[in-house]
Amino acid sequence: MKLNTRILPDIASLSRAVLEETLAIIQEAVAKRGRFAIALSGGHTPEKMFSLWAETAQYRDKTPWDRIHLFWSDERYVPENDPLSNYHMARETLISHVPIPAENVHPVPTDLSPPEACARAYEADLLKFFGAEPPAFDVQLLGIGPEGHTASLFPGSAALDEKLRWVAAVRVPAEPSQRVTFTPVVLNRGRNTFFLVAGENKRDILSAIREESATETSQYPAIRIHPAKTPVWFLDAAAAG
Ligand code: 6PG
C-alpha cells in the first residue's frame, strides 16, 4: 500500500510540522464551526509535539484555547495519575501549561468497573458533545505499534469490525492489557488523520505495510483506518529508513 508520507529529519521537526498543520486546521475549524476537536493518541511519539505546543510562545499564544477540545483516541485502563495513562502524559506535557478551560478537556474515564462501563460513559460524553452522528474529529493523531496496531486496535481484534459502537473496551497483548479505544466507526470519519511515526524500530512495520495490498481486511489495523481524506504519515528519517 502506498502511504502518503511527509519525511522530516528528526522528531523535533516532525513535531513542528504536525503542530503547524494542526494550527492551520484550528484556524479553519474555528472560523467554520466555532470550535476545534482533536483526538490525541497515547504512546511516546506525540510527547515532543505536546511540549512544543506548550513551550513555544509562537504556537501557544496563537492557539484560541477556549475553542479547543481535547479527546483521546485510546486510553489505558489505569488511574489518571498513573504514568502509563495517556491523559497523564498530555496533562504533564501540555494541558497543565496552557490556558485551556477544564471543561474543554475530555479524558476517557477509567474509574468505572468494568472497563466496558468506561467505554459506554465515554460514548455518552461524545454523544453530548457531537450529537447523534459519529464524531468527525478535526484532527486525529495516531501512532503505530510494531505489529501494526493503532489506537488500541490490535491485529485480530473484534473491535476492528465494529459497525455501531464508537468506543470499545478491549484486552490487548501489551501492557497495560485493558484499554478503551475508539473503533473504526469514529476513526474512519476523521477530517484530518496524522500518523506520527519516529525511530528506527518502526522501519520494519512501515515496510511490511508498504508491501501490503489489502486495506480493509489487512492484518495491520493502522491501514484499516481509511477516512475520506487520506491520512498523512509523518515519519522521521530514522523510521523512513
Ligand atoms: C497507546 C497508543 C498506541 C500508540 C502506539 C505507538 O495508548 O499505546 O495510543 O496506539 O500510539 O503504540 O506508541 P509510541 O509512540 O510509544 O511508539
Side-chain angles (χ1 to χ4, degrees), residues 74-197:
D74 74 320
E75 183 55 277
R76 289 94 178 262
Y77 186 58
V78 295
E80 64 170 46
N81 281 325
D82 191 302
L84 290 175
S85 152
N86 289 336
Y87 164 72
H88 178 267
M89 184 279 267
R91 193 184 68 200
E92 296 303 298
T93 51
L94 173 66
I95 299 165
S96 62
H97 308 284
V98 298
I100 185 165
E103 62 273 21
N104 291 17
V105 179
H106 310 263
V108 181
T110 55
D111 54 351
L112 305 172
S113 177
E116 181 63 25
C118 299
R120 298 290 69 82
Y122 204 40
E123 218 165 58
D125 289 349
L126 295 172
L127 192 73
K128 207 161 130 198
F129 186 83
F130 291 98
E133 286 290 305
F137 282 93
D138 295 303
V139 168
Q140 52 192 23
L141 303 180
L142 291 171
I144 187 167
E147 70 307 74
H149 81 258
T150 194
S152 283
L153 297 167
F154 280 67
S157 169
L160 281 166
D161 298 313
E162 179 60 52
K163 298 283 181 282
L164 288 174
R165 296 289 193 196
W166 301 357
V167 185
V170 288
R171 255 185 199 283
V172 305
E175 282 306 316
S177 64
Q178 290 194 302
R179 304 193 181 188
V180 176
T181 184
F182 282 169
T183 68
V185 177
V186 172
L187 296 175
N188 279 334
R189 288 177 54 91
R191 292 196 162 96
N192 295 277
T193 305
F194 300 150
F195 280 90
L196 278 59
V197 190

Side-chain angles (χ1 to χ4, degrees), residues 2-34:
K2 189 166 166 25
L3 298 177
N4 176 24
T5 56
R6 272 190 65 187
I7 301 174
L8 287 307
D10 50 32
I11 181 71
S13 43
L14 179 155
S15 304
R16 260 193 302 278
V18 177
L19 194 50
E20 285 171 9
E21 282 288 323
T22 302
L23 287 169
I25 297 164
I26 289 176
Q27 305 303 329
E28 194 190 300
V30 170
K32 276 196 196 147
R33 291 180 291 278

